[in-house]
Amino acid sequence: MVEEQKAFRLSRRLLLGAAVVGGAVLWGGNTVARLARGPSGPKNAGRIADIDGIALPLKPLANAPAYDPSLAWSAKGGDLNDASGLSRTPVYGVVEVSEEDHIAKALAFARANGLKVSLAAIRHSMGGHAFDDNALVLDLRKFNKVTVDAAARTMTVQPGARWHDIQNLLHPRFAVKAMQSTDIFSVGGSLSVNAHGMDHQAGSVAGSIRLMRVMLADGSVTTCSPTENNDLFRHVVGGYGLFGVVLEATLDIVDNTVYRTSREIIKSDDFPKFFAEVLEPNKDIGLFYGHLSTAPGNFLEDMIVYRYDKVADQPPAGQPAIGEPDGVGLKRVIINLAKWGSLFQELKWFTEKTLEPKFENCTVPRTSAMAEGEACLVTRNNPMHDSVPYLFNDLMDETDILHEYFIPRAAYVGFITEARKILRNQDLPVLNASVRIVHKEDVALTYAPEPAYSLVLYINQPTDADGSARMRALTRALIDVTIKHGGRFFLPYQLHYTAKELLASYPELPAFLAVKRQYDPTELFSSTFYRAIKALSGVA
Ligand SMILES: Cc1cc2nc3c(=O)[nH]c(=O)nc-3n(C[C@H](O)[C@H](O)[C@H](O)COP(=O)(O)OP(=O)(O)OC[C@H]3O[C@@H](n4cnc5c(N)ncnc54)[C@H](O)[C@@H]3O)c2cc1C
């Protein structure tokens, strides 16, 4: 009897133990699967409805006009959101554009019916830049033809074309000269924010534009370039879609250079020295990326410098197609786990530092002509063809927000010291941090009136009101320290800044808005972002 009771207790314990282990395995498996999953749909978590206390939503139209049946409506009414998932906005309707004539007709319809027009591409901006309450939105993604003039080393692109598709078309002979550090954006969206990326010599997209054709608010079409109609050029580039619709841009293209990849770890504070002694004098370094640690042990202190040194102008014959990023699920899990705290942030840094180099994809075979020994060789199109699919997830109650702060070069160390302190003393997880190099940018609403370094941050938040309040406080603290060091913040992101911060960063804003009204007296082109910066600048 006693023996039987013992056996019963033992088997009950075994059963319990097995249930706990089984449960843990099941929970772990489910959790990993959840963290590894790509988006099942866009995030659509409501709207941050004010800027510096000024309400952004507008009343619905009292007498909405009937929809013109000759326009290609992909939505009549409904809401749009952007990559933040926190800009849900009711619009009048969305017209899908694939021909220039569609734009002219849509503008005429809007003018005749007193509607505002917003220009939208991939909608990766994060503060209602591509739509507005009650606006007629032009969806330009299918207005995307690309032609290449190999002799002139240019391409002429319609604005909906994505860098990703353009690269596939240019490869293996040519490559894009200037774009963001990832390839997911449209040309129109990139010109409108004067985007910049990994080519620290080429600088921003402005420097690669030979000519643009632009449709103004009255439907007329004009051309502009750095040397022709320069005033319009300086306002359309970095003009957030407020001056006209870019119909076409002729952009420089460059050789699909072969690079030897290498990386080293430096102290973040030594970056200005590294730039002056290594990057700036060495014109063979074609691309550069400075990735900062976000692990608590060396938070924003250590930096992996990825560099790409030119070894040949073009790849050898038979270069394979560019290929897509691999290990997406695993990378997504590592990034998502990093939101869980110190241990996982350290794990992320460990994989970046030690494991990633072992899995590097060397796409160019070494030839005797290149004589590069054991080097890993890639073409320019390889590192620039990153669609970062691992950044996009299916975690619907949280979102990841981009920030960028431009700092005059001499102020970098002082700035990063203070930014580090601010970021350490708050609890939103910093998922990624990198440093870029930008030149003086001569456009009307410039983020770099002098040569600068920039700090790019990718920060996670819950999509609820508390998450947004914490992000707002953090954004303002980072903007304040940027301004203190003579810098500016990048405008494609969330509308968390105050009037004082906006005008301190962009003292030329009132002049920019005045020129907007010269080109567009009825303010046909609008967006939530436009109304926000206008309200903050005190313009009636
Ligand atoms: C994950 C991530 C990484 C990023 N990395 C970088 C980076 O490395 N470097 C960088 O500079 N930026 C970066 N950005 C910011 C990005 O460059 C901008 O948000 C860009 O505008 C997005 O392009 P889009 O095609 O999504 O444009 P949208 O968001 O659709 O539109 C952006 C603006 O362009 C205007 N616009 C669109 N088409 C036209 C047109 N044909 N004519 C006139 N105006 C037009 C819109 O009205 C709007 O104001 C990043 C953003 C995210 C989310």
Side-chain angles (χ1 to χ4, degrees):
M1 183 68 183
V2 175
E3 283 307 307
E4 267 174 20
Q5 274 176 349
K6 261 192 195 160
F8 177 68
R9 272 206 299 271
L10 199 67
S11 60
R12 211 171 51 171
R13 273 194 205 133
L14 270 175
L15 217 66
L16 257 170
V20 168
V21 171
V25 168
L26 204 68
W27 179 84
N30 278 339
T31 304
V32 169
R34 201 168 63 86
L35 297 184
R37 216 166 28 234
S40 55
K43 294 192 182 184
N44 193 6
R47 180 176 196 180
I48 297 173
D50 80 291
I51 181 157
D52 200 8
I54 302 170
L56 292 170
L58 295 177
K59 287 199 187 99
L61 291 174
N63 294 306
Y67 294 94
D68 178 345
S70 73
L71 295 173
W73 299 99
S74 61
K76 294 178 177 175
D79 297 325
L80 287 181
N81 214 323
D82 58 29
S84 70
L86 291 169
S87 307
R88 184 158 64 213
T89 300
V91 298
Y92 168 75
V94 182
V95 172
E96 204 168 69
V97 171
S98 54
E99 309 270 341
E100 192 167 311
D101 187 44
H102 300 165
I103 302 174
K105 281 191 178 140
L107 296 193
F109 172 74
R111 281 195 306 270
N113 290 283
L115 292 169
K116 300 291 179 193
V117 174
S118 295
L119 312 178
I122 320 287
R123 284 187 268 125
H124 271 304
S125 42
M126 292 185 160
H129 299 70
F131 42 80
D132 197 4
D133 294 68
N134 307 325
L136 184 164
V137 179
L138 297 182
D139 177 353
L140 295 153
R141 287 173 295 178
K142 292 194 177 150
F143 188 44
N144 60 0
K145 289 193 190 69
V146 181
T147 52
V148 176
D149 183 340
R153 296 170 71 86
T154 60
M155 60 178 173
T156 297
V157 291
Q158 290 178 335
R162 290 184 315 152
W163 298 120
H164 185 86
D165 302 321
I166 292 173
Q167 288 167 331
N168 283 332
L169 198 108
L170 294 178
H171 191 77
R173 174 64 187 89
F174 290 112
V176 174
K177 181 178 177 189
M179 54 179 266
Q180 293 87 338
S181 56
T182 69
D183 67 5
I184 54 182
F185 310 106
S186 72
V187 170
S190 305
L191 302 183
S192 298
V193 303
N194 195 19
H196 47 277
M198 288 174 80
D199 188 329
H200 58 289
Q201 295 188 52
S204 71
V205 292
S208 69
I209 306 171
R210 297 247 183 127
L211 191 75
M212 289 189 298
R213 289 180 64 243
V214 178
M215 186 176 288
L216 300 176
D218 62 4
S220 62
V221 174
T222 184
T223 53
C224 61
S225 76
T227 53
E228 176 196 343
N229 216 349
N230 177 259
D231 182 60
L232 181 64
F233 179 82
R234 292 179 71 254
H235 285 85
V236 171
V237 179
Y240 294 87
L242 299 174
F243 292 82
V245 189
V246 175
L247 300 173
E248 202 173 80
T250 300
L251 306 176
D252 288 328
I253 52 176
V254 294
D255 284 329
N256 186 23
T257 312
V258 177
Y259 296 123
R260 180 183 60 245
T261 71
S262 64
R263 42 156 63 209
E264 61 185 284
I265 298 182
I266 64 169
K267 285 288 165 204
S268 158
D269 286 0
D270 291 340
F271 179 69
K273 189 164 169 271
F274 182 83
F275 176 71
E277 291 175 5
V278 181
L279 284 178
E280 197 167 36
N282 189 345
K283 298 301 173 209
D284 274 346
I285 303 179
L287 301 174
F288 143 85
Y289 186 78
H291 176 78
L292 290 161
S293 166
T294 50
N298 57 353
F299 184 75
L300 303 196
E301 280 171 6
D302 287 350
M303 178 195 281
I304 306 175
V305 176
Y306 298 82
R307 58 184 266 193
Y308 296 83
D309 287 62
K310 174 173 157 176
V311 298
D313 286 334
Q314 284 168 41
Q319 182 62 26
I322 315 179
E324 301 300 327
D326 43 22
V328 173
L330 181 63
K331 283 186 191 161
R332 194 181 280 127
V333 171
I334 291 171
I335 288 173
N336 286 332
L337 278 175
K339 300 164 190 170
W340 290 12
S342 310
L343 187 69
F344 293 104
Q345 283 280 13
E346 296 290 351
L347 172 76
K348 178 168 167 283
W349 176 243
F350 173 78
T351 60
E352 289 162 348
K353 207 172 51 164
T354 50
L355 295 184
E356 259 179 21
K358 298 194 181 8
F359 295 99
E360 198 170 10
N361 207 351
C362 308
T363 56
V364 182
R366 290 183 291 272
T367 65
S368 52
M370 289 168 184
E372 284 298 319
E374 290 309 304
C376 178
L377 305 182
V378 297
T379 73
R380 180 179 174 91
N381 280 330
N382 297 117
M384 289 174 78
H385 193 68
D386 188 356
S387 305
V388 288
Y390 40 86
L391 293 186
F392 305 109
N393 57 52
D394 204 29
L395 306 171
M396 289 298 177
D397 52 0
E398 55 179 69
T399 182
D400 304 324
I401 300 296
L402 215 74
H403 298 229
E404 184 164 5
Y405 304 97
F406 302 91
I407 312 300
R409 290 185 185 166
Y412 170 82
V413 175
F415 164 78
I416 209 95
T417 306
E418 288 193 61
R420 195 183 288 135
K421 212 157 144 194
I422 291 168
L423 288 159
R424 270 190 191 282
N425 290 328
Q426 58 84 46
D427 57 4
L428 295 176
V430 180
L431 302 178
N432 204 28
S434 60
V435 170
R436 310 272 166 85
I437 294 159
V438 292
H439 305 292
K440 178 180 173 181
E441 289 299 329
D442 182 25
V443 294
L445 203 58
T446 181
Y447 48 72
E450 61 182 296
Y453 300 131
S454 77
L455 174 67
V456 181
L457 300 165
Y458 201 46
I459 304 177
N460 174 258
Q461 66 156 94
T463 51
D464 59 13
D466 176 60
S468 290
R470 283 188 283 154
M471 186 63 86
R472 176 163 288 193
L474 173 60
T475 308
R476 289 182 179 180
L478 289 167
I479 291 176
D480 286 342
V481 75
T482 301
I483 292 169
K484 179 178 156 193
H485 288 280
R488 298 184 171 205
F489 64 95
F490 202 19
L491 290 168
Y493 305 127
Q494 288 187 301
L495 307 178
H496 281 323
Y497 33 90
T498 64
K500 202 168 150 221
E501 288 171 333
L502 178 64
L503 289 164
S505 249
Y506 291 93
E508 47 291 276
L509 182 63
F512 172 87
L513 295 173
V515 177
K516 147 85 175 163
R517 288 191 303 280
Q518 283 168 21
Y519 284 104
D520 180 12
T522 62
E523 298 174 295
L524 180 76
F525 297 115
S526 187
S527 62
T528 311
F529 165 75
Y530 173 57
R531 287 192 295 109
I533 58 172
K534 197 175 121 175
L536 291 194
S537 74
V539 176

